[in-house]
């Protein structure tokens, strides 16, 4: 393949800014008053007489992320916006380091203050959507969905709390909560629980802490009462524990949790009668077909995980579901493979 070089020659008497697209994010932050809200909630944690306040620095760092920043020193990516006059002066990298260290000195309170601040900002943003406000249109039958999942972040140098990961790497293992706004609308981060690389994926206490923080970040969660009946929490098998299910039920959340599979469940699935099987819905396909994959629901099993094998968790009426899917050619067998079907199991309370 032969390639050629293309030269674009632009003649103008005005400045050109390579990162002008980030101005949209900066304008959104200004419209929502992010800097002012942050400064109000973080008051007293940093000096009040400085030019570049904590709110200014945190907002600048957030905008820098959209320009490709991967560390605090990449704040310089916003310099083209300043030199071309599109934004006012931003704090220097040393100033940003000082503000971050000043906030870190109050780590016991800054998380709560940041959660309150982000709830206020999110309330402004969602209210601006009018009739499309996610908390306004959410109902018990069509709830607001919060997805919980862990993610491995690999690093290549020694950092605070970095540790070996279960994938053989080195870094962090944060637990994340996102709002799923539906097809074509993407997700929105609600809360993040920073953890070392060797943190367990199925730590129930960590899941409960994250779910609690995610709920507190939602508009309306501070008004008394409980909006949990309009929320569905989804997580895979790592969150499918008795303790998490009990907590979700006690708060009135709907939930869909993956549950670990064992031999008893495999035996149950292999004997399911045809009349309890339901086809899996797939894009552009008939949802009534059960020969390659199907869902079966039941209310009582001698299972493992949330069931514990002897007693049922809080929310005893919650149906369990099984989703056996025929193993594709070349796919290796695994402990959750039953009668040549890969088995997924979950606990759902609508």
């Amino acid at each position: 393949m032969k390639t050629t070089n293309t030269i674009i020659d632009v003649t103008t008497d005005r400045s050109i800014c390579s990162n002008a697209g980030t101005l949209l994010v900066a304008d959104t932050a200004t419209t929502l008053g992010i800097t002012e809200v942050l400064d109000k909630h973080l008051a007293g944690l940093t000096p009040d007489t400085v030019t570049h306040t904590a709110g200014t620095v945190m907002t600048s760092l957030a905008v820098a992320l959209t320009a490709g920043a991967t560390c605090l020193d990449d704040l310089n990516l916003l310099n083209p916006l300043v030199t071309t006059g599109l934004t006012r002066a931003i704090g220097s990298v040393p100033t940003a380091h000082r503000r971050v260290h000043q906030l870190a000195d109050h780590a016991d309170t800054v998380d709560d203050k940041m959660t309150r601040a982000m709830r206020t900002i999110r309330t402004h943003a969602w209210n601006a959507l009018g009739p499309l406000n996610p908390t306004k249109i959410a109902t018990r039958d069509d709830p607001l969905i919060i997805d919980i999942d862990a993610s491995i972040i690999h690093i290549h140098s020694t950092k605070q709390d970095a540790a070996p990961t279960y994938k053989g790497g080195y870094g962090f293992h944060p637990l994340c909560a996102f709002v799923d706004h539906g097809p074509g609308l993407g997700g929105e981060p609600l809360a993040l629980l920073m953890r070392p690389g060797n943190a367990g994926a199925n730590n129930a206490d960590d899941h409960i802490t994250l779910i609690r923080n995610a709920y507190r970040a939602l508009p309306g969660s501070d008004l008394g009462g409980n909006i949990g009946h309009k929320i569905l929490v989804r997580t895979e098998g790592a969150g499918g524990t008795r303790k998490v299910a009990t907590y979700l039920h006690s708060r009135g959340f709907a939930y869909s949790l993956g549950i670990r599979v064992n031999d008893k469940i495999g035996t149950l699935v292999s004997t399911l009668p045809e009349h309890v099987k339901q086809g899996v819905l797939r894009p552009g396909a008939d949802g009534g077909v059960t020969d390659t994959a199907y869902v079966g629901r039941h209310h009582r099993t001698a299972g493992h995980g949330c069931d514990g094998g002897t007693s049922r968790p809080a929310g005893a009426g919650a149906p369990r579901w099984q989703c056996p899917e025929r193993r594709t050619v070349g796919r290796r067998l695994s402990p959750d493979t039953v009668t040549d079907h890969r088995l997924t199991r979950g606990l759902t309370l609508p």
Side-chain angles (χ1 to χ4, degrees):
M1 180 173 59
K2 184 178 180 180
T3 61
T4 59
N5 293 329
T6 300
I7 299 177
I8 300 176
D9 187 8
V10 178
T11 301
T12 179
D13 58 353
R14 304 180 67 181
S15 300
I16 296 177
C17 178
S18 60
N19 291 334
T22 57
L23 188 62
L24 177 62
V25 180
D27 283 343
T28 302
T30 300
T31 300
L32 295 176
I34 292 179
T35 297
E36 293 76 16
V37 173
L38 288 174
D39 281 337
K40 177 181 178 180
H41 284 80
L42 299 176
L45 302 186
T46 60
D48 298 327
T49 58
V50 296
T51 301
H52 300 291
T53 63
T56 301
V57 170
M58 298 299 286
T59 303
S60 298
L61 289 173
V63 175
L65 284 175
T66 66
T70 58
C71 65
L72 193 146
D73 289 359
D74 287 340
L75 186 62
N76 290 326
L77 289 172
L78 300 183
N79 286 342
L81 296 178
V82 178
T83 56
T84 54
L86 294 176
T87 63
R88 63 184 181 183
I90 61 174
S92 64
V93 170
T95 296
H97 275 283
R98 284 196 297 272
R99 296 294 171 270
V100 171
H101 283 295
Q102 288 163 354
L103 292 176
D105 291 338
H106 303 277
D108 55 334
T109 60
V110 73
D111 282 346
D112 177 68
K113 293 179 179 294
M114 286 294 295
T115 298
R116 294 173 182 268
M118 293 310 300
R119 181 176 60 215
T120 301
I121 295 167
R122 182 171 287 108
T123 299
H124 293 166
W126 287 13
N127 284 343
L129 297 174
L132 298 180
N133 185 330
T135 55
K136 300 296 184 182
I137 63 177
T139 64
R140 182 182 296 273
D141 294 330
D142 187 15
L144 185 72
I145 297 175
I146 299 178
D147 285 323
I148 307 294
D149 200 5
S151 179
I152 294 292
I153 299 178
H154 297 286
I155 63 172
H156 304 285
S157 60
T158 301
K159 302 291 184 182
Q160 181 181 356
D161 292 334
T165 70
Y166 73 93
K167 289 189 174 182
Y170 188 78
F172 304 102
H173 193 190
L175 200 57
C176 315
F178 289 85
V179 172
D180 181 2
H181 287 300
L185 298 177
E188 179 179 340
L190 275 181
L192 178 72
L193 185 64
M194 289 299 297
R195 306 188 306 166
N198 57 2
N202 61 344
N203 187 301
D205 291 333
D206 285 351
H207 278 79
I208 292 174
T209 298
L210 181 70
I211 294 168
R212 185 183 295 116
N213 292 343
Y215 177 75
R216 292 178 59 245
L218 287 174
S221 62
D222 59 327
L223 301 179
N226 186 2
I227 62 173
H229 65 281
K230 300 194 296 184
I231 296 173
L232 169 67
V233 176
R234 291 191 311 201
T235 182
E236 296 180 342
T241 62
R242 175 193 295 272
K243 194 170 184 178
V244 171
T246 301
Y247 172 77
L248 291 171
H249 185 77
S250 68
R251 294 303 305 270
F253 292 110
Y255 51 84
S256 181
L257 311 177
I259 302 177
R260 198 168 63 188
V261 175
N262 64 8
D263 293 339
K264 293 181 180 179
I265 300 303
T267 301
L268 172 68
V269 170
S270 64
T271 59
L272 283 177
E274 290 297 325
H275 70 273
V276 302
K277 297 179 181 179
Q278 300 179 24
V280 176
L281 295 177
R282 301 183 186 277
D286 182 4
V289 178
T290 61
D291 57 343
T292 58
Y294 59 87
V295 175
R297 292 171 58 125
H298 59 97
H299 285 266
R300 193 179 187 103
T301 66
H304 184 68
C306 279
D307 302 65
T310 56
S311 61
R312 306 169 77 185
R320 284 75 168 163
W321 53 265
Q322 328 286 345
C323 180
E325 183 171 3
R326 188 172 298 280
R327 184 172 60 90
T328 57
V329 176
R331 189 170 185 175
R332 68 180 181 86
L333 291 171
S334 60
D336 53 357
T337 302
V338 180
T339 60
D340 206 33
H341 282 67
R342 183 175 176 83
L343 180 60
T344 305
R345 183 178 183 232
L347 177 69
T348 302
L349 182 64

